[in-house]
Amino acid sequence: MKGFRFTQYIPPNDPEKNTFENLLNIFLQLATMTGGDVAEALSWLTNLDKRYNMTNPNYGIGDFIDDLKSKGYLTEENQKGEFKITGKAEQNIRKNALEEIFGKLKRGKSGQHKTTHSGTGDERGTDRRAFEFGDNLDQIALTDSLRNAQANHGFSGDYLLTENDLEVMENEVKSQTSTVLMIDISHSMILYGEDRITPAKKVAMALAELIKTRYPKDTLDIIVFGNDAWQIEIKDLPYLQVGPYHTNTVAGLELAMDLLRRRKNPNKQIFMITDGKPTCLKVGIKYYKNAFGIDSKILAETLKLAAQCRKLKIPVTTFMIASDPYLKEFVKEFTKVNNGNAYYSSLKGLGDLIFEDYRRNRTKRF
């Protein structure tokens, strides 16, 4: 008699493969930190290898670079002939960010958010109610309706099933949401020797990958703001760098509101990652700047937009990655005017806070 014997599977040990995967994870992290500068990332990787002996005599950094090209992570096909990361590498960076920040989250339903409403939806609920004109026939709870007919009319004579006997099962309504993520790229995001822009980029990439994979019907627009504000694509996130900018929060909010006006979705929200107060305002073609304390003119314009967002039912959630008392006072006042949310987060806990607020907003009723 033939049969099968199952034993423990021990995968073959391929040191070169393990070395490549380990180096790839580090390289993608470095590429994020350098804003997509491959040459600088490889230089850092070489120095790390000298210090920590991450390679071996049979597999060096040169072999790793060849593998990056052969496996489609790097390309030299550009006008300058420089190394550039490919779309495959960009996607891996986003996936790594998702696993790093949201990796402990449990799997959920794909693509939609639960709400507190019931009605015409696409997922069968547990609530029952009497049949009403206009209900779909596939909503009828057949067993419950037959039981009602027996209780109301008995078993004798002709079997009757009337409209009054029918019960229907409620469907749960699922909602979509439109989110704008604002990222501060002013100079203070790398001031005092602390790299704040890299964690902000990782959170943005993780949120983008989360929405693309688990909530594909939602929309996510990403904007950056310094002296001005402009929209960027998801694929541009690894290359994002801080500039010699002040913080024009007004420009960022104006652009965010303009993007959300184009979305026909009733559920809208703004996430703002910043580490400082607004210090810049554009008046006509000139810039009004004041980096010394909180300027009353800039503050007034910022609070005016916060009030407009509240009127349009667009909550603004501010993630302040700084702990200065006077900055907290600004955020507190801004949040009060907008009736939004504010978190004073360390860089380590930023991703968890953003996800929790993003998920929680699905059940808010305005």
Side-chain angles (χ1 to χ4, degrees):
M1 180 179 178
K2 292 185 178 180
F4 297 93
R5 174 177 292 181
F6 295 95
T7 59
Q8 182 181 6
Y9 173 72
I10 302 176
N13 187 15
D14 188 344
E16 291 188 4
K17 181 178 180 181
N18 293 336
T19 302
F20 172 79
E21 292 176 351
N22 293 334
L23 291 175
L24 177 63
N25 290 332
I26 299 172
F27 169 74
L28 294 179
Q29 294 275 357
L30 295 176
T32 303
M33 296 175 65
T34 61
D37 189 330
V38 175
E40 187 176 2
L42 290 174
S43 177
W44 288 7
L45 184 64
T46 303
N47 290 331
L48 288 173
D49 180 41
K50 290 179 181 178
R51 183 171 181 178
Y52 297 104
N53 297 319
M54 297 182 295
T55 60
N56 57 67
N58 297 323
Y59 191 87
I61 297 297
D63 298 313
F64 173 66
I65 295 174
D66 290 338
D67 282 346
L68 285 176
K69 292 189 291 184
S70 64
K71 295 178 185 294
Y73 292 99
L74 287 184
T75 179
E76 294 177 284
E77 296 178 2
N78 53 75
Q79 293 181 348
K80 296 182 179 180
E82 299 175 345
F83 279 134
K84 298 289 184 182
I85 60 175
T86 63
K88 180 179 180 180
E90 293 169 357
Q91 185 178 22
N92 272 267
I93 290 174
R94 294 197 302 270
K95 286 183 177 180
N96 288 348
L98 178 63
E99 292 176 1
E100 177 183 342
I101 295 174
F102 300 140
K104 63 183 180 182
L105 301 175
K106 297 180 180 179
R107 181 179 295 274
K109 295 184 182 299
S110 175
Q112 297 172 338
H113 306 279
K114 291 185 177 180
T115 71
T116 57
H117 307 284
S118 60
T120 303
D122 55 6
E123 183 169 310
R124 191 61 57 87
T126 58
D127 295 335
R128 303 286 192 274
R129 62 170 174 80
F131 177 85
E132 297 176 357
F133 178 78
D135 287 334
N136 294 327
L137 294 180
D138 59 359
Q139 287 183 258
I140 294 176
L142 185 59
T143 303
D144 297 305
S145 300
L146 292 175
R147 185 185 64 245
N148 293 338
Q150 293 174 357
N152 295 335
H153 309 294
F155 293 96
S156 59
D158 295 333
Y159 187 83
L160 293 178
L161 178 65
T162 66
E163 181 179 337
N164 293 331
D165 302 322
L166 298 178
E167 283 190 15
V168 297
M169 291 181 289
E170 289 278 30
N171 287 345
E172 294 180 355
V173 175
K174 295 295 186 71
S175 69
Q176 301 174 14
T177 192
S178 295
T179 302
V180 172
L181 179 62
M182 295 173 51
I183 304 176
D184 184 352
I185 59 168
S186 62
H187 182 63
S188 60
M189 291 291 279
I190 55 171
L191 211 56
Y192 311 118
E194 184 175 25
D195 179 11
R196 297 169 177 172
I197 189 63
T198 298
K201 285 196 296 185
K202 286 185 178 181
V203 168
M205 289 186 290
L207 184 62
E209 193 67 16
L210 180 75
I211 291 175
K212 287 170 63 69
T213 55
R214 289 178 55 175
Y215 304 102
K217 294 184 179 180
D218 286 7
T219 64
L220 175 66
D221 294 293
I222 302 173
I223 63 177
V224 294
F225 62 104
N227 291 347
D228 295 288
W230 59 94
Q231 187 177 8
I232 65 172
E233 300 293 332
I234 293 175
K235 64 181 179 63
D236 298 327
L237 281 170
Y239 311 101
L240 192 60
Q241 296 188 41
V242 168
Y245 307 125
H246 287 257
T247 307
N248 192 344
T249 308
V250 169
L253 290 172
E254 287 177 339
L255 179 56
M257 293 169 64
D258 184 55
L259 291 172
L260 289 175
R261 284 192 192 99
R262 305 174 192 175
R263 302 295 185 185
K264 304 304 180 182
N265 197 334
N267 301 312
K268 302 174 181 180
Q269 62 185 349
I270 297 173
F271 286 167
M272 179 168 62
I273 303 175
T274 182
D275 72 331
K277 60 189 180 298
T279 60
C280 180
L281 189 66
K282 194 168 186 180
V283 181
I285 60 174
K286 295 184 178 181
Y287 293 95
Y288 174 85
K289 302 175 183 178
N290 183 4
F292 303 97
I294 297 180
D295 187 284
S296 58
K297 182 177 180 178
I298 299 175
L299 178 62
E301 290 297 318
T302 306
L303 295 180
K304 184 188 297 184
L305 283 180
Q308 289 183 20
C309 287
R310 179 176 182 174
K311 186 176 181 180
L312 295 172
K313 299 181 180 180
I314 302 175
V316 180
T317 303
T318 305
F319 298 90
M320 175 62 73
I321 48 180
S323 57
D324 306 62
Y326 76 100
L327 293 180
K328 288 186 176 181
E329 287 300 318
F330 155 70
V331 174
K332 183 178 180 181
E333 187 173 2
F334 179 88
T335 303
K336 182 179 179 181
V337 172
N338 174 254
N339 196 28
N341 295 308
Y343 298 101
Y344 307 94
S345 169
S346 66
L347 295 174
K348 184 177 180 180
L350 184 61
D352 292 335
L353 286 177
I354 285 186
F355 174 78
E356 288 302 326
D357 198 86
Y358 176 78
R359 183 174 59 180
R360 188 183 301 117
N361 192 57
R362 308 289 67 73
T363 59
K364 288 181 182 177
R365 300 178 66 176
F366 299 102

